[in-house]
């Protein structure tokens, strides 16, 4: 019996040594970071539907894996199909049977009763994520152009300075929140940040104006790939910003 035990132990030890010798490239562990960066195991954003109500998820113009140069597919999937969907469903619940049911999300934000935490968190979550996903693109990055580029140069001195200020605002936000580029009430561009799911349309915050770009700095937006390195995520975020959409947001905000 003792001999058999020794034989079995030797076999187990030998197998252990062999498996340790396997090259890393043959690792098929489904939790490896490989699966975070491919389309395997991720669903289709078009399949994500709310439980009903006035607020629906805007369609994504890209697949979950398409922003992989900056944000991995799994993060995109969980962010859109779980977090964003959750905010939409809870917002629909919060407005059900109230006078807010027929209002636009922007008007709900501007008239926010900041003591109504269900509406504040989920309405903010809905508005913020609708803007976030709409301003990303696999063909994003590069530089803004046209009237937006002119305004950036006028109000910040340069595009690099705008990026520095956004990275600073997002990096310094303690805990969860957002960094924003807004058009303020005088028509100038300004940068700031808000906590949790607050945004600059809501009354009484440090930054006030019409958002044209928002950077989600909640850990759920970046943790799988970037862990504690939020600044690296913000740097990579700029490579997938669709400045054409931000320009459209700027045109709408300045036309008001
Ligand atoms: Mn988020």
């Amino acid at each position: 019996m003792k001999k058999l035990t020794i034989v079995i132990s030797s076999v187990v030890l030998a197998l252990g040594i062999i498996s340790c010798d396997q090259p890393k490239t043959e690792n098929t562990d489904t939790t490896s970071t490989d699966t975070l960066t491919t389309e395997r195991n991720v669903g289709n954003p078009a399949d994500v539907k709310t439980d009903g109500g006035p607020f629906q998820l805007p369609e994504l113009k890209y697949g979950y894996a398409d922003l992989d140069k900056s944000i991995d597919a799994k993060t995109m999937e969980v962010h859109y199909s779980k977090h964003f969907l959750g905010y939409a469903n809870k917002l629909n619940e919060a407005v059900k049977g109230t006078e807010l049911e027929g209002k636009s999300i922007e008007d709900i934000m501007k008239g926010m009763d900041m003591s109504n935490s269900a509406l504040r968190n989920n309405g903010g979550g809905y508005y913020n994520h609708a803007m976030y996903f709409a301003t990303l693109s696999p063909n994003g990055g590069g530089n803004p152009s046209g009237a937006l580029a002119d305004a950036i140069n006028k109000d910040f001195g340069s595009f690099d300075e705008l990026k520095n200020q956004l990275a600073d605002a997002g990096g310094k936000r303690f805990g969860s929140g957002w960094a924003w580029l807004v058009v303020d009430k005088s028509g100038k561009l300004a940068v700031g940040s808000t906590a949790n799911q607050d945004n600059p349309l809501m009354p009484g915050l440090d930054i006030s104006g019409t958002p044209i770009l928002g950077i989600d700095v909640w850990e759920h937006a970046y943790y799988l790939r970037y862990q504690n390195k939020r600044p690296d995520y913000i740097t990579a975020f700029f490579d997938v910003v669709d400045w054409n959409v931000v320009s459209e947001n700027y045109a709408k905000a300045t036309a008001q």
Side-chain angles (χ1 to χ4, degrees):
M1 189 64 191
K2 197 171 183 182
K3 193 173 177 186
L4 183 62
T5 307
I6 291 167
V7 169
I8 291 171
S9 303
S10 304
V11 169
V12 168
L13 186 62
L15 286 172
I17 290 165
I18 289 165
S19 69
C20 286
D21 284 347
Q22 294 295 311
K24 286 261 188 293
T25 50
E26 285 182 26
N27 185 357
T28 54
D29 178 1
T30 53
T31 60
S32 78
T33 50
D34 276 4
T35 56
L36 300 177
T37 58
T38 70
E39 285 188 68
R40 282 178 292 153
N41 303 334
V42 294
N44 181 350
D47 296 337
V48 183
K49 303 287 178 210
T50 71
D51 299 334
F55 297 103
Q56 299 300 313
L57 294 201
E59 205 178 304
L60 276 194
K61 298 169 294 182
Y62 44 83
Y64 294 133
D66 295 342
L67 306 180
D68 182 64
K69 64 179 173 181
S70 297
I71 306 169
D72 65 85
K74 198 71 194 170
T75 294
M76 288 301 297
E77 181 187 37
V78 174
H79 206 174
Y80 184 81
S81 72
K82 300 288 194 284
H83 293 278
F84 189 12
L85 180 65
Y87 294 123
N89 281 330
K90 287 179 188 153
L91 170 62
N92 283 325
E93 273 171 40
V95 300
K96 197 173 181 182
T98 76
E99 51 161 15
L100 301 176
E101 243 174 341
K103 286 197 170 180
S104 72
I105 189 63
E106 289 82 5
D107 284 345
I108 293 175
M109 295 300 104
K110 290 174 189 170
M112 182 64 67
D113 167 5
M114 298 300 266
S115 68
N116 182 343
S117 56
L119 190 65
R120 180 177 175 176
N121 292 332
N122 296 299
Y126 179 83
Y127 174 88
N128 300 350
H129 287 87
M131 173 160 285
Y132 179 82
F133 288 110
T135 50
L136 297 177
S137 166
N139 306 314
N143 300 310
S145 59
L148 176 61
D150 294 343
I152 289 169
N153 288 330
K154 182 165 122 341
D155 294 333
F156 297 99
S158 69
F159 178 48
D160 279 345
E161 179 55 24
L162 167 65
K163 287 195 285 186
N164 287 341
Q165 289 194 23
L166 280 167
D168 193 56
K172 283 185 179 157
R173 166 53 53 192
F174 183 76
S176 299
W178 290 74
W180 297 102
L181 174 60
V182 306
V183 177
D184 72 14
K185 62 175 188 288
S186 71
K188 265 188 80 174
L189 292 171
V191 163
S193 81
T194 54
N196 302 316
Q197 295 297 354
D198 288 349
N199 64 57
L201 288 179
M202 294 177 180
L205 300 177
D206 292 342
I207 173 96
S208 178
T210 305
I212 62 171
L213 176 67
I215 310 177
D216 188 342
V217 298
W218 283 58
E219 284 185 344
H220 68 228
Y222 63 87
Y223 201 83
L224 289 181
R225 181 180 287 174
Y226 297 98
Q227 287 91 47
N228 58 315
K229 299 186 217 64
R230 186 190 284 179
D232 291 358
Y233 153 71
I234 295 175
T235 301
F237 174 87
F238 289 118
D239 292 334
V240 286
V241 171
D242 188 338
W243 290 104
N244 294 324
V245 174
V246 183
S247 276
E248 287 165 20
N249 293 343
Y250 175 72
K252 279 182 224 154
T254 49
Q256 280 166 9

